[in-house]
Amino acid sequence: LACRFSDNRPEGMNLTDFVDNVFGWMLVSNRFKEMLENLQTPSIEYLLISIKNHKGRLAASSYWIANFLTFVEVVDEDQSQYIPSALKTAKVDHFKRFVVRKEILESGPILLRMKEMPRTILVREDLIGMIQKNGYTGMEFIATETFKQ
């Protein structure tokens, strides 16, 4: 399996530890994958993928799709406000107010994909700290209080 950088976005041709992509895949470097494996993140399988540059030449051969095998219900229905999705694969189109269920905040996985919005990945603050401390690149974090997607 291989994916290719676009000719239309030369600024996006840098290889980082997390590679944003139009497919919604969690595409990660070998280094990032090893960190997740050491943390024993549950219910993730890793699928090897090669990345080609915008000219079709091999840019990297050891990147991974971190494929979540389970999705977690995280939305506190009583406190959150959202616009329902018209898609059958998602419950939420976007949030006006997003509140995570208390039990997820207290004892949920360090990393998860939301059942209500499957293209969205939530990361606990302790993992964010590890990511920043160890200099992993390519990720942007948005506090749940300000998340409107």
Side-chain angles (χ1 to χ4, degrees):
L1 187 58
C3 65
R4 181 177 169 173
F5 285 120
S6 169
D7 287 331
N8 300 329
R9 299 207 38 212
E11 72 282 1
M13 292 184 203
N14 298 321
L15 287 172
T16 55
D17 291 300
F18 178 87
V19 179
D20 193 23
N21 60 85
V22 298
F23 305 111
W25 297 340
M26 185 171 166
L27 193 57
V28 298
S29 68
N30 198 57
R31 181 173 94 108
F32 194 79
K33 172 190 171 273
E34 288 173 357
M35 183 213 31
L36 292 177
E37 287 176 325
N38 288 335
L39 293 172
Q40 299 177 344
T41 48
S43 302
I44 297 177
E45 70 176 347
Y46 298 94
L47 308 169
L48 186 62
I49 188 167
S50 297
I51 298 178
K52 296 182 178 181
N53 67 18
H54 65 291
K55 294 182 180 182
R57 295 187 193 118
L58 186 66
S61 60
S62 58
Y63 270 70
W64 301 87
I65 298 170
N67 183 37
F68 289 78
L69 300 175
T70 59
F71 298 83
V72 179
E73 290 185 30
V74 300
V75 176
D76 182 322
E77 293 285 340
D78 295 329
Q79 296 185 55
S80 297
Q81 296 175 338
Y82 59 86
I83 304 299
S85 175
L87 302 174
K88 291 182 181 182
T89 57
K91 181 176 184 173
V92 175
D93 180 59
H94 66 275
F95 287 97
K96 293 181 179 181
R97 182 169 189 247
F98 176 42
V99 178
V100 177
R101 291 179 21 223
K102 184 177 179 180
E103 60 270 21
I104 298 297
L105 290 173
E106 293 174 351
S107 60
I110 197 163
L111 181 72
L112 63 87
R113 193 174 285 273
M114 290 178 59
K115 184 173 185 176
E116 299 89 346
M117 194 180 244
R119 290 186 69 139
T120 302
I121 298 168
L122 295 187
V123 181
R124 265 191 356 216
E125 287 184 16
D126 49 343
L127 178 55
I128 292 172
M130 281 187 247
I131 289 168
Q132 292 170 338
K133 179 182 176 189
N134 291 295
Y136 292 102
T137 59
M139 289 150 267
E140 176 184 359
F141 302 104
I142 303 167
T144 55
E145 299 84 32
T146 59
F147 180 72
K148 303 286 186 208
Q149 187 172 0

